[in-house]
Amino acid sequence: MIRLLLLLALTFGLASSASADDIAATGRGVVRVVTIAVVDDQVVGFGHGSGFAIAPNRIVTNAHVVDLAERYPDNVVVGIVPTEGSKSYQGKVIAYDSQRDLALIEFTGARLPPSALYTGPMSEGDPVVSLGFPGNVDLATARSAADYIRPMTPVRSEGVLSGRRVLSSIEVLLHTASIARGNSGGPLLDRCGRVIGVNSAITRGEEGDSTFGFAIADTELAAFLHEAKQPYASIGTGCTSIEDRLRQDADADARATADAASARRDAATQDAMTREVALEKARTEAGRARENVMALAGLLLVAGALVIGSAGLLESRGQRRQAVWALGIGGLSVLVAIIVFVLRPSGEVDVPLSALPKTRISTPDAALGKLMCTLIPERSRITISSSEDVPIDWGAKGCVNGKTQYVGTQNGNGAGRWDRVLVPDAEQTVSVLSFDPATRVYSNTRYLMSAAGMEAARTARGVVPNVCNMDEAALGRLAGQQAAVRAVLPPLPNEKLVYSCKSAK
């Protein structure tokens, strides 16, 4: 009967969601790891520990948690019990290191949010948090064997880092967060929810002695994953509260907007001066051309008069034929002089816009082309995301990469920001993307959501066509959908990644 309950519960269970904070966000990827030993169709052993996702389908835990499965793979079933959802999954040990007491388990059927390793410095006394499934809590609350493999939120305990030690030639972290036997394989986190170690052992509290926990250090975990050829996310930036980061970034954003407005005014002034110089040059050239034409008309008139005068002289000498020719040429010269004078340029400037210097100021909805956006660490807060550069192709009227429409808001200065709220179907993260063409600052504000929170966000989102160049009605609907999603988001995000964008050329 017990075996039947265990095997059924590996397929079906109840869900429980975590609150929207950094630790709970990491808790979405924490799992219970159970082992069921079966001999001759009878359950002869049951054990459990904790683990956490290092990839959507791979779990890190302690080697001693799955020791029986490693030694007797044909007789021991490994179960992965997520903290959310309605199912549990069967796993397989794919990497095992008894010296470091670490193992890697692969499973199929679901995708979990991976945790990130913190690779920056930690000091003694820094706060730490443990997540897992302590056995003494299970003993106090479990009503049946099925409760051990029913999805539920991990137990959280807090303490401080007491230092680094060496235990059996392996570097470990000594800490004061309360853990018990079932915590083995669960993550030890910094206060931003990044993994700094893997809980492995505890000291015995005898005759009033304090109890301490040991966690396999981040250095050992990184080496194990490297040897297992398992990629993982790592973050080296220190932990800053999201409230402080949002406040500081708002100040930086205001300064950048003011600087952009000032630069815009300076550019407008410089453009106006450049255009005025071009117009003045055109006026001077037009005046010079008018004067040259009038001078030519005068010369023709004088020449014609002289030739006509010579015709009279020739007539007096009896050279009538020559006099007629001179009279004709002189008259023609005078006529041409009159025509040139009448058709002289007016001296007014009529310069086409295409001939004037082009303004350097683009409109808020102008296309900027391909941009490469580089993270600004001092303006960002990262807990799990990559810090790599982000390429975007900014098209006209907020069309990004030729397919994603952003919604724009403009102020009285002709500047503005474009936003898009993304609610993916295959990831438990809502991203609010923003871009300011004036400052060329791109940001990604990320909410690491529970399963229930993501369901609410997807319901609020509805169906959004992934096209650009929407008409006004469609843009209005998109803006309404984005407002509906924002209404169901937690009060504060978990991450904000801010980038400075430059032309990809």
Side-chain angles (χ1 to χ4, degrees):
M1 184 65 177
I2 293 177
R3 180 183 177 224
L4 178 61
L5 284 173
L6 292 173
L7 295 179
L8 285 176
L10 280 175
T11 306
F12 300 99
L14 299 177
S16 178
S17 60
S19 60
D21 60 26
D22 292 329
I23 304 303
T26 302
R28 302 172 307 159
V30 174
V31 301
R32 188 196 296 268
V33 180
V34 299
T35 56
I36 306 170
V38 180
V39 176
D40 295 331
D41 204 31
Q42 296 292 324
V43 175
V44 297
F46 171 75
H48 75 95
S50 304
F52 59 92
I54 200 66
N57 66 330
R58 290 188 173 180
I59 302 298
V60 168
T61 189
N62 281 146
H64 72 259
V65 171
V66 292
D67 178 61
L68 284 177
E70 175 66 15
R71 288 189 291 166
Y72 308 105
D74 296 332
N75 298 95
V76 178
V77 176
V78 177
I80 302 299
V81 187
T83 61
E84 298 181 311
S86 59
K87 294 179 66 176
S88 298
Y89 306 91
Q90 185 169 334
K92 178 182 179 182
V93 178
I94 59 172
Y96 184 89
D97 188 332
S98 59
Q99 180 68 19
R100 291 192 176 98
D101 195 16
L102 293 172
L104 188 64
I105 303 171
E106 186 175 71
F107 71 100
T108 59
R111 293 175 61 85
L112 296 180
S115 302
L117 274 63
Y118 175 59
T119 57
M122 291 284 292
S123 302
E124 294 184 10
D126 284 351
V128 296
V129 180
S130 173
L131 288 180
F133 299 93
N136 50 5
V137 173
D138 290 326
L139 289 174
T141 59
R143 290 169 297 178
S144 69
D147 288 331
Y148 285 90
I149 42 181
R150 178 177 292 115
M152 63 182 64
T153 56
V155 176
R156 178 190 308 198
S157 62
E158 301 179 359
V160 298
L161 180 65
S162 299
R164 291 180 179 264
R165 299 289 189 273
V166 175
L167 190 64
S168 300
S169 73
I170 297 299
E171 186 177 23
V172 297
L173 303 179
L174 183 65
H175 64 87
T176 63
S178 297
I179 59 174
R181 287 186 176 85
N183 281 105
S184 293
L188 183 68
L189 312 171
D190 71 354
R191 58 191 176 92
C192 279
R194 287 89 62 93
V195 176
I196 61 173
V198 183
N199 286 315
S200 180
I202 56 175
T203 62
R204 292 184 178 275
E206 298 177 347
E207 297 181 0
D209 291 341
S210 297
T211 300
F212 291 88
F214 291 102
I216 307 301
D218 55 320
T219 52
E220 302 288 355
L221 175 58
F224 167 73
L225 294 174
H226 179 73
E227 292 173 6
K229 298 182 180 180
Q230 173 60 54
Y232 60 91
S234 62
I235 306 297
T237 55
C239 183
T240 304
S241 72
I242 188 62
E243 295 91 342
D244 290 342
R245 179 56 67 224
L246 291 176
R247 182 174 58 254
Q248 294 167 8
D249 187 59
D251 294 340
D253 197 40
R255 290 192 298 271
T257 301
D259 291 343
S262 178
R264 189 181 181 89
R265 290 191 297 269
D266 292 343
T269 301
Q270 185 63 40
D271 287 344
M273 293 176 62
T274 302
R275 293 166 72 88
E276 184 60 34
V277 169
L279 286 171
E280 184 60 31
K281 181 180 179 181
R283 292 190 190 101
T284 301
E285 292 176 351
R288 185 179 296 113
R290 175 184 172 87
E291 293 173 356
N292 291 338
V293 171
M294 291 178 65
L296 177 62
L299 289 174
L300 289 172
L301 183 62
V302 171
L306 291 173
V307 174
I308 291 174
S310 67
L313 180 61
L314 291 172
E315 179 66 26
S316 64
R317 293 178 178 179
Q319 298 175 327
R320 188 173 183 82
R321 180 179 179 83
Q322 290 83 350
V324 171
W325 276 102
L327 182 62
I329 293 173
L332 180 61
S333 179
V334 171
L335 179 61
V336 171
I338 293 171
I339 294 174
V340 169
F341 181 79
V342 171
L343 298 179
R344 69 191 183 279
S346 65
E348 297 179 358
V349 178
D350 185 15
V351 182
L353 293 178
S354 60
L356 293 175
K358 294 183 178 180
T359 178
R360 294 171 295 169
I361 303 174
S362 60
T363 59
D365 58 358
L368 298 178
K370 294 183 178 180
L371 304 173
M372 184 60 69
C373 303
T374 303
L375 187 77
I376 308 175
E378 61 272 17
R379 291 187 58 180
S380 302
R381 183 183 195 259
I382 306 176
T383 59
I384 64 170
S385 297
S386 169
S387 59
E388 294 181 354
D389 292 351
V390 176
I392 62 173
D393 188 349
W394 189 261
K397 299 181 179 179
C399 179
V400 179
N401 299 330
K403 62 180 181 179
T404 304
Q405 181 65 56
Y406 282 43
V407 177
T409 56
Q410 297 183 16
N411 57 34
N413 297 324
R417 188 182 68 185
W418 297 80
D419 298 325
R420 180 63 186 263
V421 180
L422 296 182
V423 185
D425 291 325
E427 182 184 348
Q428 285 185 228
T429 302
V430 174
S431 296
V432 179
L433 306 177
S434 297
F435 182 70
D436 186 342
T439 61
R440 298 203 176 186
V441 171
Y442 177 77
S443 66
N444 182 357
T445 303
R446 290 167 54 84
Y447 296 79
L448 308 181
M449 307 286 285
S450 66
M454 282 304 301
E455 186 63 29
R458 290 176 184 131
T459 301
R461 176 203 62 189
V463 179
V464 179
N466 202 24
V467 295
C468 288
N469 302 318
M470 296 180 175
D471 57 29
E472 291 299 324
L475 283 174
R477 289 192 296 271
L478 177 59
Q481 289 170 312
Q482 297 196 155
V485 174
R486 289 176 185 268
V488 302
L489 294 178
L492 293 172
N494 298 93
E495 295 186 307
K496 184 169 185 180
L497 288 72
V498 182
Y499 303 83
S500 175
C501 302
K502 295 182 180 179
S503 174
K505 298 178 182 178

